[in-house]
Amino acid sequence: MITIPIKIEEKKNNINSDNIVYIKNLPPLSIYIHIPWCVSKCPYCDFNSHSIDPNSINEIIFLESLRCDLEQSIPLIWNRSIISVFIGGGTPSILSVKAIDKILEMLRTYLKILPNAELTIEINPGTVDSSKMKGFKDSGINRFSIGIQSFDNDNLKKIGRIHDGLDALKSIASARYLLENINIDIMFSLPGQTISNFINDLKIAKSFDTKHLSIYHLTIEPNTLFSKNLPIDLPDEETSSEMEDLIESELKEIGMRRYEISAYSKDRFKSIHNLNYWTFGDYLGIGPGAHSKISFHNRIIRQKRIYNPKLWMNKAIKMNNSHVIEDICIPNEELPFEFMLNALRLKDGVSRQLFKFRTGLSIDVMKEKLNIAYKKKLLSEDNEKFIATHLGWKFLNDLQVIFIK
């Protein structure tokens, strides 16, 4: 084993086993692997990512730490099948092809990955070429998620991306040559962005005939560079709303349907991994700062890893679970909110019975909250589904917070 000399300590919570539920059939299980490094930290990003020179990453130490993290988690998910793997970050494509190959080999060794499992890696166009992307595919990756954000050089510069429009075009072209299942991330309401500029981004994205698009409104998150130095030329609310309205009409022309707040896809290409999140499935997260939600027949637990990459590596390889800083049983009274926080993001909603299957609780526990949502016309009074009304989707945060304990 390799040790890294760091002496900082973090506290770990004890599991609260007082909240007993009854879950007959455990939900599907996904794996998330967090790669914590980027070439440069984007000013809007609040993820656990750290700027680094790619040449200074010790992949041997990192991979050994991932292995130790996974091995200590095996008792929690013993003998369960894996429906999807998502390698995210940060910038996973900052790693070498050999490292990604080793990660997938490790997962196959320890876990029961289904033959048709979705295996995704996030890609930054500034960190890959066609050869590297082919290497990822040859390792077993069957879905690329490419962080384009915009095709406009000025827009990209303003939001701190390390790639330019040409890099973006080359990455998508290479990806399309290698795989059919590709997602492109696009952002709107960027500093100085105009309606016509955004339409141009959409038209370019459409021209590649990719099967999935994730389109996000730029949000100023706390503790980001943008929150400390707010751009002065952000589009106003009316312009942002017009951009959002354009998305559905533009994508409808090419058969892409909105199935989640920020996700659009063609038939058969919805994200299996993200759908598992949104339908309150289980996921094991390994790597610095990764979160997990894991069900048992009598309880549901939540875990969180240490955020600092060096400290996480130092702790994980000790094989005593000290890299896990939160390990708690989710209180029953919090389950309705956690379920609805995810499920109501889906345009078609979810079956009412899914709440019982996923939480082990009766729908009656949130009867009062449901009535509030019905009275406010935010939730459809559907006997089969939990589904937001048009108004509810427009004011989704207001609908979701109703279900806080």
Side-chain angles (χ1 to χ4, degrees):
M1 297 292 181
I2 304 164
T3 56
I4 303 165
I6 293 182
K7 296 182 179 179
I8 302 172
E9 294 291 334
E10 296 198 28
K11 293 182 179 179
K12 175 181 170 184
N13 296 328
N14 292 324
I15 294 179
N16 177 4
S17 59
D18 297 333
N19 295 278
I20 304 299
V21 297
Y22 176 65
I23 300 173
K24 183 177 180 181
N25 298 310
L26 299 181
L29 176 64
S30 296
I31 302 294
Y32 174 77
I33 298 176
H34 190 73
I35 312 302
W37 298 295
C38 293
V39 174
S40 176
K41 178 86 170 179
C42 296
Y44 58 84
C45 178
D46 69 336
F47 295 148
N48 183 34
S49 61
H50 308 264
S51 299
I52 196 171
D53 176 354
N55 295 319
S56 69
I57 298 174
N58 190 322
E59 293 185 344
I60 295 175
I61 293 178
F62 181 69
L63 293 175
E64 174 65 7
S65 302
L66 275 179
R67 187 195 66 76
C68 291
D69 191 343
L70 178 60
E71 188 171 306
Q72 291 169 82
S73 303
I74 293 300
L76 300 175
I77 58 170
W78 181 251
N79 209 34
R80 292 180 64 179
S81 298
I82 308 302
I83 66 165
S84 67
V85 174
F86 195 100
I87 305 175
T91 305
S93 55
I94 202 173
L95 296 182
S96 68
V97 170
K98 183 177 180 180
I100 297 301
D101 188 61
K102 290 289 186 184
I103 289 172
L104 293 175
E105 180 184 348
M106 172 189 72
L107 295 179
R108 295 186 192 102
T109 300
Y110 283 90
L111 304 171
K112 292 173 58 178
I113 299 179
L114 294 175
N116 61 343
E118 178 187 88
L119 308 178
T120 303
I121 185 170
E122 287 185 329
I123 286 174
N124 183 314
T127 60
V128 294
D129 55 22
S130 58
S131 175
K132 195 171 191 180
M133 293 174 76
K134 183 180 185 302
F136 292 155
K137 180 199 171 187
D138 290 345
S139 295
I141 292 295
N142 56 27
R143 184 174 184 267
F144 292 134
S145 182
I146 310 175
I148 299 298
Q149 316 314 348
S150 176
F151 296 96
D152 183 275
N153 288 339
D154 289 338
N155 288 344
L156 290 168
K157 187 175 181 179
K158 286 181 179 180
I159 60 173
R161 302 296 288 176
I162 64 170
H163 69 275
D164 60 22
L166 183 58
D167 293 330
L169 296 174
K170 288 180 178 178
S171 292
I172 300 173
S174 295
R176 286 288 287 117
Y177 179 76
L178 294 166
L179 291 175
E180 187 178 19
N181 198 355
I182 297 165
N183 170 65
I184 297 176
D185 283 353
I186 299 289
M187 297 177 72
F188 68 97
S189 198
L190 304 177
Q193 189 175 41
T194 63
I195 296 290
S196 61
N197 180 263
F198 178 58
I199 290 176
N200 190 56
D201 274 350
L202 284 178
K203 288 187 180 300
I204 295 173
K206 285 163 52 179
S207 71
F208 283 94
D209 189 33
T210 53
K211 309 303 182 186
H212 195 284
L213 286 172
S214 298
I215 306 183
Y216 304 99
H217 187 299
L218 173 65
T219 304
I220 307 300
E221 301 288 356
N223 302 315
T224 61
L225 289 175
F226 271 175
S227 71
K228 298 170 185 175
N229 297 286
L230 188 69
I232 60 174
D233 54 349
L234 289 171
D236 58 30
E237 188 173 334
E238 183 178 345
T239 303
S240 294
S241 180
E242 187 175 346
M243 289 179 183
E244 188 167 10
D245 290 340
L246 280 166
I247 299 170
E248 279 198 74
S249 60
E250 285 286 328
L251 297 186
K252 189 175 181 181
E253 294 177 1
I254 59 170
M256 295 197 94
R257 182 176 177 274
R258 189 179 194 180
Y259 69 98
E260 188 267 345
I261 282 292
S262 303
Y264 301 75
S265 80
K266 294 191 175 181
D267 291 342
R268 301 186 298 105
F269 289 94
K270 294 177 182 178
S271 168
I272 293 172
H273 189 85
N274 287 340
L275 276 173
N276 197 37
Y277 287 150
W278 298 325
T279 54
F280 211 51
D282 282 354
Y283 51 93
L284 170 68
I286 63 172
H291 291 242
S292 301
K293 175 249 170 182
I294 302 172
S295 302
F296 300 86
H297 291 294
N298 63 348
R299 70 193 189 282
I300 303 173
I301 68 167
R302 182 196 297 123
Q303 286 189 336
K304 182 168 63 179
R305 269 81 173 141
I306 290 172
Y307 284 87
N308 181 280
K310 288 185 178 179
L311 182 56
W312 166 81
M313 286 188 278
N314 185 53
K315 297 285 190 179
I317 60 178
K318 291 182 178 179
M319 298 297 290
N320 61 5
N321 277 306
S322 59
H323 63 296
V324 178
I325 56 172
E326 181 178 273
D327 190 355
I328 64 171
C329 180
I330 303 177
N332 286 4
E333 60 268 25
E334 292 181 13
L335 288 172
F337 173 67
E338 296 220 2
F339 179 89
M340 288 299 202
L341 180 68
N342 292 282
L344 294 176
R345 293 176 62 93
L346 293 169
K347 189 163 188 178
D348 292 338
V350 298
S351 161
R352 291 170 66 95
Q353 287 298 313
L354 190 67
F355 177 77
K356 179 179 180 180
F357 295 152
R358 293 288 193 262
T359 67
L361 302 175
S362 167
I363 292 174
D364 290 341
V365 302
M366 56 178 180
K367 187 175 181 179
E368 184 179 331
K369 306 287 189 182
L370 289 172
N371 286 333
I372 293 172
Y374 295 148
K375 287 178 182 178
K376 292 186 175 184
K377 307 296 183 185
L378 298 177
L379 191 68
S380 174
E381 295 189 53
D382 190 307
N383 291 328
E384 302 296 327
K385 288 184 174 183
F386 292 128
I387 182 171
T389 62
H390 177 75
L391 183 67
W393 236 42
K394 191 177 177 77
F395 297 98
L396 185 60
N397 287 346
D398 295 328
L399 172 56
Q400 290 166 328
V401 298
I402 289 172
F403 296 92
I404 294 178
K405 64 174 180 174

